[in-house]
Amino acid sequence: LETSTLKDEAATAHCDLLITYSVVGNILKRPLIQIKIHEPQLKIEIRHHNLKDCYALYLTAGYKSLLKGAELCHIKKPVKSRFGGGLREFCFEEAQCFAGIEGRNTFLTDTERSFIGDRFSRPRMTITYCYTTMPHLISANLIENALPLHSTEFLKHLQQKWVLSAGKQPVDDIREYFGTEIAMYFSWLGHMTTALWFPALLGLLMYLFGFKYRMTPAKVAQQDTFQLFSDISFVCFAFFNCVWSTAYLESWKRKQAELAFKWGTYDTNYDPYLQDPRPQFRGEFFAPNPVSGRIEPFYPAWKHAIVRYGITYPLTLFFVICMFLTMLVVFQVQDAADYQFGSTFLLSWICYLPMIVYALMIVISDKLYRQLALYLNDLENYRTDDEYEDFLISKIVIFQFVTAFGSLFYIAFYLKDMKRLQETLATLLITRQITQNVMETAVPFLMEKVKLSRLAYKMTK
């Protein structure tokens, strides 16, 4: 690595990847050499930040390097109409066939540039350097962060067009800046919110009609008629929800396929053996890949099974049983509260406290179990990111299904108490919604204020 590359120069404002670390020494020497060998034209700058007391590594790729990286990352770009149009994986040798190739600053989005920069920081592993690449240094906590820099102008544009606007979400702009996964999530969120208007309005009309009838004095015969009508209405509403949910799923599948085709991610399912191993994947020995023939770390499949069936499943079952027993205890406490304070108007609110506490326990247990699930997933040592995410989702879904719906199923099918079911559902839903809103809005806002206060204090010292 040339000495001029490691000079303490002013950092560029438009780097493709920023890496921060606080370890002093030659810990980055070997990975930087490896990165330079694989991509000699990559510009690397190092600078020390006094406020954070850390070093920052700025990786900036030239246009030619970015185009080669786009081919390496299988990025799909639009083809010029005279060459057939449509989307196709970028090929450096056929670069002139792609639309907008002349725009050095516009052909690749910020997300694609950062993705390519991240790919440059993790060159294909070899036996010599497999444990000194950037991802392994991150997993070993030797590197604090590896992230792209924000674009202030684009963030202001998104704030005006997205945050402060009540119109349609600019999913294309979101995808350009935050990536396909984030854009797909917000697209689903908007689609789901719009679709919920239909059952929400119908349910509101049914509730208002029932509330008006309950507030009006009526004879016994009229009450029986209303009860019959109410039962039929609930059955029809349940049937409507079944039809609506099916129609919504099919509608979202079409919308998702449309966006995936538009963004070039419709058919990106590659063979697992063609994917690079996860940076955190630990192999016991090296062996040739059965598809590509590359030498890669290898981990026996039977060891996955031992950890999964001997540790993961028993621990998951243990915590599920603990939450179920906790639910039974909460029900006993609620029964006692109903008996003591149910007939008192001023103290009737105490009857809702057990379920509120249980809802908070669900939120806390979900957070704690997620950390345990991450630890167990790391212990199982999956080779690819897809395998890692699939098994992580399965663990979390099993636990959250019991914690979120176990009490509802218990009340509905064992206790058969519809009034209690309504109260429990409303309490859990409202409490969890408020808690999640606080965690997603208030907590990040306060943390940002504390962070800025600390930086301001350091600047005044």
Side-chain angles (χ1 to χ4, degrees):
L1 190 65
E2 297 180 0
T3 308
S4 59
T5 306
L6 299 178
K7 288 177 62 178
D8 187 16
E9 301 175 354
T12 175
H14 301 286
C15 73
D16 299 311
L17 189 67
L18 170 66
I19 299 173
T20 61
Y21 62 99
S22 57
V23 180
V24 181
N26 296 326
I27 190 65
L28 293 180
K29 183 177 180 180
R30 294 180 69 183
L32 288 180
I33 292 175
Q34 188 182 10
I35 292 173
K36 269 295 188 180
I37 291 175
H38 284 80
E39 193 56 47
Q41 297 181 355
L42 190 67
K43 184 179 180 181
I44 302 176
E45 298 179 2
I46 296 179
R47 187 178 183 182
H48 181 262
H49 291 264
N50 295 324
L51 290 178
K52 297 288 292 183
D53 191 22
C54 67
Y55 291 88
L57 185 69
Y58 296 82
L59 275 67
T60 307
Y63 190 50
K64 183 178 180 180
S65 299
L66 288 173
L67 294 181
K68 291 182 179 180
E71 180 179 2
L72 182 65
C73 297
H74 307 284
I75 294 177
K76 291 188 176 182
K77 303 300 291 184
V79 181
K80 294 179 180 178
S81 57
R82 66 173 182 268
F83 294 107
L87 289 174
R88 199 178 70 183
E89 287 188 4
F90 183 80
C91 178
F92 182 77
E93 298 296 332
E94 302 174 356
Q96 71 280 359
C97 300
F98 292 87
I101 190 67
E102 298 81 8
R104 299 173 60 90
N105 298 323
T106 57
F107 180 68
L108 295 171
T109 65
D110 292 339
T111 304
E112 292 169 344
R113 290 173 63 97
S114 61
F115 183 69
I116 295 170
D118 180 69
R119 184 64 181 82
F120 284 156
S121 70
R122 52 173 79 188
R124 294 192 184 278
M125 292 187 297
T126 62
I127 296 179
T128 306
Y129 295 113
C130 65
Y131 292 107
T132 58
T133 55
M134 293 295 177
H136 281 92
L137 296 177
I138 295 174
S139 62
N141 295 323
L142 297 177
I143 289 181
E144 297 176 351
N145 293 298
L147 67 162
L149 292 178
H150 277 296
S151 173
T152 307
E153 296 180 358
F154 205 97
L155 284 177
K156 291 181 179 179
H157 167 72
L158 282 178
Q159 186 178 22
Q160 295 295 329
K161 195 174 180 180
W162 183 25
V163 180
L164 302 178
S165 175
K168 188 178 180 181
Q169 293 188 111
V171 290
D172 290 328
D173 293 341
I174 298 172
R175 182 248 176 185
E176 180 179 348
Y177 190 79
F178 292 105
T180 304
E181 292 183 359
I182 303 298
M184 190 68 75
Y185 167 74
F186 280 103
S187 178
W188 168 81
L189 198 62
H191 191 269
M192 180 70 172
T193 304
T194 303
L196 283 173
W197 275 101
F198 300 101
L201 291 176
L202 183 58
L204 180 62
L205 291 175
M206 292 179 58
Y207 176 79
L208 293 177
F209 176 79
F211 180 78
K212 179 181 178 181
Y213 193 89
R214 284 192 296 269
M215 297 300 294
T216 303
K219 298 180 181 180
V220 177
Q222 292 177 338
Q223 291 180 354
D224 294 339
T225 304
F226 171 74
Q227 185 63 40
L228 177 61
F229 178 78
S230 178
D231 294 340
I232 296 175
S233 299
F234 278 118
V235 172
C236 294
F237 186 64
F239 178 75
F240 170 80
N241 283 335
C242 293
V243 176
W244 170 85
S245 60
T246 304
Y248 166 74
L249 288 176
E250 295 302 321
S251 174
W252 170 244
K253 287 180 182 178
R254 292 174 62 88
K255 182 67 175 179
Q256 183 185 28
E258 176 187 344
L259 293 175
F261 182 80
K262 179 181 178 181
W263 294 337
T265 59
Y266 187 74
D267 52 352
T268 55
N269 294 323
Y270 302 106
D271 190 293
Y273 285 107
L274 294 178
Q275 301 180 20
D276 290 334
R278 295 172 54 246
Q280 296 82 4
F281 177 68
R282 305 176 304 276
E284 293 193 346
F285 55 89
F286 287 87
N289 187 300
V291 176
S292 63
R294 297 198 313 265
I295 301 299
E296 293 181 352
F298 182 80
Y299 190 78
W302 61 270
K303 290 194 174 183
H304 291 293
I306 289 179
V307 176
R308 190 181 307 126
Y309 293 103
I311 300 177
T312 301
Y313 289 163
L315 278 178
T316 302
L317 181 62
F318 171 75
F319 282 100
V320 166
I321 293 175
C322 288
M323 287 302 300
F324 183 77
L325 295 177
T326 303
M327 177 194 70
L328 296 180
V329 172
V330 170
F331 284 162
Q332 294 296 324
V333 175
Q334 187 178 15
D335 290 337
D338 291 339
Y339 179 77
Q340 293 290 337
F341 307 103
S343 58
T344 307
F345 178 76
L346 295 177
L347 300 178
S348 59
W349 57 271
I350 298 179
C351 301
Y352 295 96
L353 283 181
M355 292 311 301
I356 294 176
V357 173
Y358 180 65
L360 295 176
M361 290 177 61
I362 290 176
V363 175
I364 296 174
S365 63
D366 287 346
K367 296 290 184 182
L368 296 177
Y369 182 78
R370 183 177 181 84
Q371 298 300 320
L372 177 63
L374 288 171
Y375 172 76
L376 293 175
N377 238 35
D378 292 336
L379 196 63
E380 293 172 14
N381 192 27
Y382 293 105
R383 179 183 176 274
T384 63
D385 290 324
D386 291 340
E387 290 178 324
Y388 184 87
E389 292 177 359
D390 290 342
F391 282 96
L392 178 63
I393 290 172
S394 64
K395 293 181 181 66
I396 295 176
V397 166
I398 292 174
F399 183 79
Q400 290 186 348
F401 179 82
V402 175
T403 57
F405 301 107
S407 58
L408 302 179
F409 278 94
Y410 180 79
I411 296 173
F413 298 103
Y414 184 77
L415 299 180
K416 298 180 181 180
D417 189 345
M418 293 298 105
K419 182 180 179 181
R420 189 171 187 176
L421 178 63
Q422 293 176 355
E423 295 176 352
T424 303
L425 179 60
T427 305
L428 292 177
L429 181 63
I430 295 173
T431 305
R432 295 194 67 178
Q433 191 67 40
I434 294 175
T435 306
Q436 290 179 358
N437 288 338
V438 170
M439 295 295 294
E440 293 177 0
T441 57
V443 173
F445 176 78
L446 293 176
M447 291 179 64
E448 182 68 18
K449 290 298 182 182
V450 172
K451 181 180 178 181
L452 292 176
S453 300
R454 289 179 177 176
L455 289 177
Y457 175 74
K458 288 183 178 181
M459 292 178 65
T460 56
K461 290 179 65 176

